[in-house]
């Protein structure tokens, strides 16, 4: 607990949280929801390259994690795992570690076989060490348990949307729809 009596939750975000992607939007909504519930939330925007972290990225992550007070919840976005894994391994007895997995990193499109293998080994070693793992879907939860995380430690928090007024349409006779998304095999 913090001095205010609220739970201290520290979110480890790979880069600026205001990035315009669905994953970062999900993380922002999660942070906002925790604040709305009365939690004391601090976002640590980690500099560096993700998910293929270099030494500078790992050093920056270590510095950020060192600043998190004892017994605080450290919620790590899964994309940051390669940059923070070593520091979290060292600090796992001091912090209450929770991972947020949008999808396992080793399943990302465009990786070499060597990169995918290294990320899978990292995820298999690191994710079971977390107190809880949050998945964004049942499919992701299955992928996480396949990495050795006990199912009892995996919670599912699906992304949501804001209510919007019903669209009036274009006025033409043929409906037209626009979908903005990334087309990848895993999606």
């Amino acid at each position: 607990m913090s001095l205010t009596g609220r739970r201290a939750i520290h979110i480890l975000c790979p880069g600026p949280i205001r990035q315009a992607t669905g994953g970062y939007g999900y993380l922002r909504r999660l942070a906002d929801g925790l604040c709305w519930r009365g939690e004391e939330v601090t976002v640590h925007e980690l500099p560096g390259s993700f998910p293929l972290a270099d030494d500078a990225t790992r050093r920056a992550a270590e510095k950020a994690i060192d600043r998190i007070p004892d017994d605080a919840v450290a919620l790590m976005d899964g994309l940051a795992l390669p940059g923070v894994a070593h520091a979290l391994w060292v600090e796992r007895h001091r912090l209450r570690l929770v991972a947020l997995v949008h999808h396992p990193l080793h399943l990302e499109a465009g990786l070499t076989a060597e990169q995918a293998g290294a990320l899978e080994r990292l995820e298999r070693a690191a994710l079971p060490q977390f107190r809880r793992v949050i998945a964004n879907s049942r499919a992701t939860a299955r992928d996480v348990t396949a990495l050795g995380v006990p199912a009892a430690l995996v919670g599912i928090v699906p992304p949501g949307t804001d209510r919007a007024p019903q669209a009036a349409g274009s006025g033409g006779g043929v409906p037209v729809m626009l979908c903005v998304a990334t087309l990848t095999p895993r999606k």
Side-chain angles (χ1 to χ4, degrees), residues 7-149:
R7 185 180 351 201
I9 299 175
H10 293 260
I11 296 176
L12 300 167
C13 178
I17 197 167
R18 293 283 164 214
Q19 293 181 59
T21 71
Y24 286 95
Y26 180 97
L27 194 57
R28 286 190 303 275
R29 294 293 295 263
L30 185 78
D32 291 345
L34 290 167
C35 288
W36 181 82
R37 284 181 29 154
E39 310 295 355
E40 186 178 308
V41 177
T42 303
V43 176
H44 302 269
E45 295 178 332
L46 304 173
S49 56
F50 297 97
L52 304 174
D54 57 18
D55 288 338
T57 300
R58 286 187 280 279
R59 282 191 301 275
E62 287 173 9
K63 287 179 184 176
I65 292 166
D66 282 347
R67 292 190 299 268
I68 298 174
D70 291 354
D71 205 40
V73 173
L75 174 74
M76 180 215 61
D77 184 288
L79 185 60
L81 182 61
V84 302
H86 181 264
L88 291 179
W89 179 259
V90 171
E91 301 290 354
R92 73 186 186 284
H93 301 293
R94 185 178 72 79
L95 301 173
R96 302 166 61 86
L97 302 178
V98 177
L100 168 61
V101 179
H102 303 276
H103 69 276
L105 296 174
H106 74 277
L107 299 177
E108 183 61 58
L111 297 173
T112 66
E114 181 180 302
Q115 290 168 329
L119 289 170
E120 183 178 6
R121 287 188 298 279
L122 175 64
E123 289 171 313
R124 282 188 184 284
L127 289 175
Q129 305 305 316
F130 285 79
R131 291 183 185 211
R132 296 283 295 170
V133 177
I134 299 168
N136 62 354
S137 68
R138 284 185 296 231
T140 300
R142 283 190 299 273
D143 290 340
V144 167
T145 58
L147 290 167
V149 178

